[in-house]
Amino acid sequence: MDLLGFLVTQCLNAFSQAALLFFLGVGLTLIFGIMRIVNFAHGTFYMLGAFIGFTTGRITGSFWMALIVAPVVAGAIGAAFELGLLRRLYKRDASAFLMVTFGLTLVLEELIRLTWGVQPLEVPVPDLFSGIVFLFDEPFPIYRLFLAGAGVVVAIAIWQFLERTRLGLLIRATSQNAEMVHALGVDVNMVRSAIFGIGCGLAALGGVLAAPLVTASLGMAANAIIDAFVIVIIGGMGSFLGSLIAAVLVAFVQVFGNYYFPDFALAAMYMLMLLVLVIRPGGLLGKEA
């Protein structure tokens, strides 16, 4: 195997994996950064997105419709959950949020099991991205190139949204001083509902995109929530750029670790997290507080 071809294809594999991890991590980062809520149900929204995407694709025959419908539905469920339950807990201890979001995880998993069954559902790769290309004489799936490109596009879109839009401005202001934003006449509760829905929608988007690679299955949530927490811890709580950098680092560790020492790949990810915490306890771009 040509060394340059191997390195190029493995790096592209890592970037495509980083895109999926970014969708997971940035949603959880946004929710924590604004609301100081560790959303234990985040991985379940990722899984829910895969199943909704499967059904949408079957009904409409369009992968693009699945990419639209699944995040919107999951985001609406997340916003409704924040509006109906989480809003009542803001004056409670942080452990209350863990218990309630864990309860949501159990409810959603049971609903998914009753609706779609327990068997994994195979989601076909869209025809447009079903082939391969040769990079330095090495075959590489077009769909993974699409994932890497989608990650770049979504990262830029989120950055522009946070920097250029009024809602993005309110989100950043609320994360720094919610009381002052409320004093200026802004409905902080609506901002919180919006960001919780957006975070859940991003997780669902990642689930739709991951489904053709891993199938839509009930085991998706457990793996996803572990990866999401690792990314948030490495990147720093509430840091958008930190979650992006952490997703890339974790993806490279996963891809090259699985190739060179598959039995210790998971341990390598945790070692990376511990190394970052030893050097910077608050994460790469987070604050220790």
Side-chain angles (χ1 to χ4, degrees), residues 12-13 15-20 23 62-68 123-133 135 140-155 205-213:
L12 287 173
N13 268 326
F15 282 120
S16 65
Q17 179 73 2
L20 298 177
F23 295 140
S62 171
F63 175 72
W64 304 108
M65 282 299 298
L67 286 179
I68 296 172
V123 180
V125 174
D127 293 338
L128 182 63
F129 307 116
S130 61
I132 62 171
V133 293
L135 304 172
F140 192 80
I142 295 176
Y143 186 69
R144 284 196 171 272
L145 288 176
F146 164 70
L147 287 180
V152 173
V153 170
V154 172
L205 177 62
V208 177
L209 292 170
L213 299 178

Side-chain angles (χ1 to χ4, degrees), residues 185-198:
V186 176
D187 190 344
V188 174
N189 287 330
M190 292 304 297
V191 175
R192 287 170 171 162
S193 295
I195 199 60
F196 197 86
I198 291 170

Side-chain angles (χ1 to χ4, degrees), residues 199-222:
C200 294
L202 286 170
L205 177 62
V208 177
L209 292 170
L213 299 178
V214 300
T215 71
S217 65
L218 292 175
M220 292 178 69

Side-chain angles (χ1 to χ4, degrees), residues 23-285:
F23 295 140
L24 261 177
V26 73
L28 191 59
T29 293
L30 289 175
I31 291 171
F32 183 86
I34 306 303
M35 307 167 69
R36 298 299 186 265
I37 294 175
V38 179
N39 180 19
F40 203 87
H42 203 68
T44 310
F45 280 101
Y46 174 82
M47 178 174 66
L48 180 63
F51 280 96
I52 294 176
F54 168 82
T55 299
T56 303
R58 279 290 183 90
I59 294 174
T60 65
S62 171
F63 175 72
W64 304 108
M65 282 299 298
L67 286 179
I68 296 172
V69 171
V72 169
V73 173
I77 294 172
F81 175 71
E82 190 281 336
L83 180 64
L85 289 177
L86 291 183
R87 186 169 297 184
R88 306 170 187 271
L89 303 176
Y90 289 134
K91 295 182 180 180
R92 300 279 296 276
D93 186 79
S95 61
F97 295 109
L98 283 175
M99 296 301 294
V100 172
T101 54
F102 179 70
L104 176 63
T105 294
L106 298 179
V107 171
L108 288 178
E109 286 185 349
E110 185 64 15
L111 288 174
I112 290 172
R113 187 187 67 81
L114 293 174
T115 303
W116 285 280
V118 297
Q119 296 300 319
L121 302 177
E122 185 174 350
V123 180
V125 174
D127 293 338
L128 182 63
F129 307 116
S130 61
I132 62 171
V133 293
F134 284 88
L135 304 172
F136 299 95
D137 296 325
E138 295 294 331
F140 192 80
I142 295 176
Y143 186 69
R144 284 196 171 272
L145 288 176
F146 164 70
L147 287 180
V152 173
V153 170
V154 172
I156 293 174
I158 295 174
W159 171 52
Q160 290 296 302
F161 165 74
L162 292 174
E163 293 291 330
R164 304 285 185 179
T165 67
R166 173 174 168 77
L167 179 56
L169 174 64
L170 293 176
I171 288 171
R172 288 186 287 116
T174 302
S175 69
Q176 296 173 12
N177 195 326
E179 290 78 11
M180 181 61 71
V181 173
H182 177 70
L184 293 174
V186 176
D187 190 344
V188 174
N189 287 330
M190 292 304 297
V191 175
R192 287 170 171 162
S193 295
I195 199 60
F196 197 86
I198 291 170
C200 294
L202 286 170
L205 177 62
V208 177
L209 292 170
L213 299 178
V214 300
T215 71
S217 65
L218 292 175
M220 292 178 69
N223 294 330
I225 194 61
I226 292 173
D227 289 341
F229 279 129
V230 169
I231 290 167
V232 171
I233 292 170
I234 291 175
M237 293 291 193
S239 172
F240 163 74
L241 182 58
S243 65
L244 177 60
I245 296 172
V248 174
L249 290 175
V250 170
F252 270 82
V253 168
Q254 287 181 346
V255 169
F256 282 92
N258 284 325
Y259 184 85
Y260 285 108
F261 38 90
D263 293 336
F264 301 99
L266 186 61
M269 183 177 70
Y270 293 132
M271 288 298 295
L272 171 64
M273 181 179 70
L274 291 174
L275 177 63
V276 170
L277 290 178
V278 168
I279 298 173
R280 289 188 59 85
L284 292 175
L285 298 178

